[in-house]
Amino acid sequence: MIRRLSLALALSLTAVVAVAQPPADLSSPRATMLTFLGAVNAVRDGDRAALEPAIDALDLSALGVDRSSEAARNAARQLWAALNRIRLVEASELPGQAELRPGDSTFVYFPRPFNPADEAILERVELGDEVIALARQPDGRWLFSAATVAGIARLATALRALPAQVKVDEESLVTPGWVRTFVPVPLRTGAFAGLRYWQWAGLLGIIFVALVGDLIARTLLRPVVARTVSRFGVEVDPRGARELVRGLGLFTGAVLLLALLPGLALVDVMGDVARSAAGVLTVLAGTLAGWRLTDLVGLVLLEKSKQTESKFDDVLVPLFRKTLKIFIVAGGLIYGAQFLNIDIVPLLTGLGIGGLAFAFAAKDTIENLFGSVAVILDRPFEVGDWIVTGDVEGTVETMGFRSTRVRTFYNSQVTVPNAALVRATVDNYGRRRYRRWKTLLGVQYDTSPEKLLAFTEGLRELVKRHPYTRKDYYQIWCNDFADSSINVLLYVFFEVPDWSTELRERERLLIDVVRLADRLGVQFAFPTQTVHLFKEEHREPEPAHPVPAGDHDDRAMREGADAAGAIVRDRSWRRERPGPVDYGRPAGQADGGDAGE
């Protein structure tokens, strides 16, 4: 009975190994090792299905992959490569089923304490905590432990500095049988720069297929994207659609390259470099495609939001686009790190340990982030609103994660941290239903009471008939005797969408006030002083205004209302209410009707 089986015998083509292939047994560390090596040897002989027992000897729970996946097959190859550079495997080094004790649950094959051979390897190679160990499973099977499988890539990479114990064709462990079947013998045997001729030819072919896939994807997706965008009924920049198609085509080519690359059986450094490069290219292309898709979807949603009356979606769409981009970039970094064999767990652990310091350093940023959430939920203002907060007054342009940008009326842009908006008092002029206007109209002291009554009643009639004035509440009265005039209070409200329209309607009303005063013969007062010289002789004052009859005041007020009605009777805005101010109107035309008539 053979008691010592070396790695050289397990991987050579000798008659002894061909006749006495180890059984598929996982009952002990020795049986598992022999099963693994025997499966590897059968794969080298061309039996692709024989790799399944080798994969069965691995505990893949740490990888979280299926046993039929490429990652499982690659783990088996890396384990074999590590064993081939440590030493020749001797069966007597591993305990059999008869030598196991009931309490044995783990057997460490490498590195073993106080083993001179292992210590010599550790002196030449810098290793971390990676080990090659076998562990008993709950069902009694002995498998290469989950920790071994999780760290085998790093261990195999570190051990490449050591010479291989057996010179064999490693590509036979991972190359599909149908690929090698179609490779001519001269291309399969010759080599250049560490790669076989057929691998060089296959690499060029795969790159060509990836480029063709990129071209086909762009050709097919270009009309699809154009039809999809036009279906939403919005106009977007054609350059954005082209950038999206370019990103999707590049992603298609990268996926083809990554999918076809395992067929070349690239091993060692060349294999790792090629797989990492293809994986990183796929991640970058996917990130770019996702970025462009987010931009295009954001533009479509933004155009749609402009067609709605609510301004909440005008704020939500940019925030949604930024959030989605952050997730896309984060996902790209995670997957890119996996393809580069960078373990992100220590990084996340380090962030957890340094979380307190990071929280203090990013306190303002986090505060502004939660402030933006509070502003969105509470909605004290929206994009386009005229607000006053502290010393800042202007129109809200954008709302971001960290700050809100306000365009002042002298055209500068002020950035207000969202955290400050949560604590500050915000006066939102944009949500006023009415805009108040108060003024005093000074008329001369020699104006008769009848004219004053006609003038105030005419003003009320103007307010009732003007298109944007509030009709249910206003105050128009002779209000005060000033130094140089009798003051008439004009206190009205405008129901307008913006400040420009308010100014236009205020002008319209003021001009009609002037017309009314001219029609009624009312003179506006200037700041004057009149000097009266006192005479000695006494004279009885003559009443300047006789006592009115019963309906005298009513007739005066009807006269004023008729005068106001005559002023506005044929105005164009009486037929159709004017819209907001249009700064693009042709020169010489009054905006919104005949305000300048």
Side-chain angles (χ1 to χ4, degrees):
M1 178 178 179
I2 300 175
R3 293 183 55 85
R4 298 168 63 88
L5 180 65
S6 67
L7 180 63
L9 292 176
L11 297 177
S12 65
L13 295 177
T14 60
V16 175
V17 175
V19 175
Q21 184 174 346
D25 185 9
L26 305 175
S27 60
S28 66
R30 181 187 301 168
T32 300
M33 180 67 77
L34 294 179
T35 297
F36 178 81
L37 297 178
V40 170
N41 178 62
V43 171
R44 188 178 181 279
D45 287 339
D47 184 4
R48 183 65 181 170
L51 189 61
E52 299 301 323
I55 297 176
D56 289 339
L58 306 179
D59 184 355
L60 300 174
S61 60
L63 296 183
V65 298
D66 188 75
R67 59 187 301 273
S68 61
S69 63
E70 178 64 25
R73 187 166 60 254
N74 193 41
R77 182 192 65 82
Q78 290 171 333
L79 176 58
W80 173 85
L83 293 172
N84 189 29
R85 283 168 172 81
I86 295 175
R87 57 178 169 270
L88 299 179
V89 177
E90 297 183 0
S92 60
E93 291 183 309
L94 295 96
Q97 188 173 10
E99 300 167 356
L100 292 173
R101 293 174 297 181
D104 291 341
S105 60
T106 304
F107 174 77
V108 178
Y109 176 76
F110 173 83
R112 282 179 290 179
F114 311 110
N115 188 318
D118 292 353
E119 293 179 359
I121 292 176
L122 295 177
E123 290 178 358
R124 296 181 56 185
V125 179
E126 293 184 3
L127 298 180
D129 298 330
E130 294 81 12
V131 297
I132 297 179
L134 296 98
R136 187 200 298 269
Q137 305 301 306
D139 57 3
R141 295 178 303 155
W142 283 84
L143 303 180
F144 287 96
S145 66
T148 298
V149 176
I152 194 60
R154 296 187 297 271
L155 181 61
T157 301
L159 292 175
R160 285 193 186 125
L162 302 177
Q165 299 295 323
V166 178
K167 302 297 183 181
V168 294
D169 185 8
E170 294 185 6
E171 70 185 49
S172 62
L173 299 179
V174 290
T175 307
W178 64 269
V179 175
R180 293 175 58 82
T181 302
F182 292 101
V183 176
V185 176
L187 294 179
R188 191 163 48 185
T189 56
F192 172 74
L195 292 181
R196 301 299 176 92
Y197 293 149
W198 75 270
Q199 291 175 318
W200 284 113
L203 185 60
L204 294 177
I206 289 176
I207 294 176
F208 176 76
V209 171
L211 293 177
V212 172
D214 180 11
L215 180 60
I216 294 176
R218 293 190 190 189
T219 304
L220 296 178
L221 291 175
R222 189 175 292 112
V224 173
V225 172
R227 287 196 303 268
T228 303
V229 173
S230 62
R231 189 177 304 169
F232 288 98
V234 297
E235 293 291 336
V236 297
D237 187 3
R239 184 175 57 183
R242 290 196 301 268
E243 293 293 337
L244 172 60
V245 171
R246 185 179 295 114
L248 293 175
L250 182 60
F251 179 68
T252 302
V255 169
L256 287 174
L257 181 63
L258 184 63
L260 297 176
L261 192 61
L264 297 180
L266 302 176
V267 295
D268 291 336
V269 178
M270 291 298 295
D272 289 341
V273 171
R275 282 186 292 273
S276 298
V280 171
L281 178 61
T282 304
V283 171
L284 290 178
T287 303
L288 177 62
W291 188 281
R292 299 300 185 191
L293 180 61
T294 303
D295 281 337
L296 188 61
V297 173
L299 288 176
V300 172
L301 294 178
L302 192 60
E303 291 295 327
K304 282 289 187 180
S305 66
K306 292 179 180 178
Q307 300 174 7
T308 61
E309 296 182 359
S310 174
K311 295 182 180 180
F312 180 68
D313 48 6
D314 296 341
V315 178
L316 199 59
V317 169
L319 291 179
F320 167 76
R321 183 167 62 179
K322 292 178 182 179
T323 303
L324 193 57
K325 284 184 175 181
I326 291 175
F327 276 102
I328 289 174
V329 173
L333 292 176
I334 293 174
Y335 282 103
Q338 289 183 355
F339 281 112
L340 292 174
N341 292 326
I342 299 175
D343 190 3
I344 63 173
V345 175
L347 177 61
L348 296 178
T349 303
L351 290 178
I353 296 175
L356 183 60
F358 178 78
F360 277 112
K363 180 178 70 67
D364 293 338
T365 302
I366 296 175
E367 187 178 7
N368 289 325
L369 177 61
F370 282 99
S372 65
V373 175
V375 169
I376 292 175
L377 294 179
D378 191 45
R379 297 173 61 185
F381 52 80
E382 296 173 340
V383 174
D385 284 352
W386 170 16
I387 68 170
V388 177
T389 173
D391 297 333
V392 179
E393 179 179 4
T395 304
V396 179
E397 278 195 339
T398 59
M399 293 175 60
F401 281 113
R402 195 195 70 83
S403 61
T404 296
R405 290 174 174 82
V406 178
R407 180 70 63 179
T408 64
F409 295 114
Y410 43 89
N411 203 33
S412 66
Q413 188 183 68
V414 179
T415 301
V416 183
N418 289 330
L421 291 174
V422 175
R423 297 187 297 266
T425 300
V426 179
D427 191 355
N428 191 340
Y429 285 93
R431 291 186 179 174
R432 294 178 299 174
R433 181 179 178 184
Y434 302 107
R435 297 174 183 243
R436 186 188 66 171
W437 180 47
K438 174 185 176 183
T439 188
L440 295 174
L441 305 176
V443 299
Q444 293 182 358
Y445 265 104
D446 58 358
T447 305
S448 66
E450 293 79 10
K451 288 184 178 181
L452 286 174
L453 288 172
F455 185 56
T456 55
E457 186 63 25
L459 292 176
R460 297 187 189 101
E461 189 68 23
L462 289 178
V463 172
K464 293 176 182 178
R465 300 199 181 193
H466 266 248
Y468 281 96
T469 52
R470 182 178 179 182
K471 309 300 189 294
D472 59 339
Y473 183 79
Y474 51 85
Q475 300 292 343
I476 301 175
W477 310 97
C478 284
N479 185 59
D480 191 18
F481 292 105
D483 294 338
S484 305
S485 63
I486 299 176
N487 289 340
V488 176
L489 172 65
L490 180 59
Y491 186 87
V492 296
F493 294 85
F494 293 99
E495 188 175 4
V496 290
D498 51 51
W499 189 38
S500 299
T501 307
E502 176 190 355
L503 295 178
R504 186 194 67 190
E505 296 306 313
R506 188 187 299 182
E507 177 191 75
R508 193 195 308 275
L509 181 59
L510 279 175
I511 292 175
D512 283 349
V513 168
V514 174
R515 288 171 177 156
L516 178 64
D518 182 66
R519 182 176 288 266
L520 296 177
V522 174
Q523 300 293 323
F524 292 105
F526 296 97
T528 58
Q529 284 187 342
T530 303
V531 178
H532 293 273
L533 299 177
F534 177 74
K535 294 182 179 181
E536 290 294 336
E537 61 273 13
H538 178 71
R539 295 177 56 186
E540 292 292 333
E542 298 180 1
H545 306 293
V547 177
D551 61 344
H552 187 272
D553 290 353
D554 293 338
R555 282 187 280 109
M557 295 171 68
R558 281 197 299 271
E559 179 184 357
D562 293 341
I567 291 174
V568 301
R569 181 177 300 115
D570 298 326
R571 307 291 286 278
S572 61
W573 46 262
R574 293 282 294 169
R575 298 186 296 272
E576 181 180 358
R577 187 182 190 186
V581 173
D582 181 11
Y583 290 100
R585 61 186 171 83
Q589 295 185 11
D591 187 16
D594 46 8
E597 291 182 359

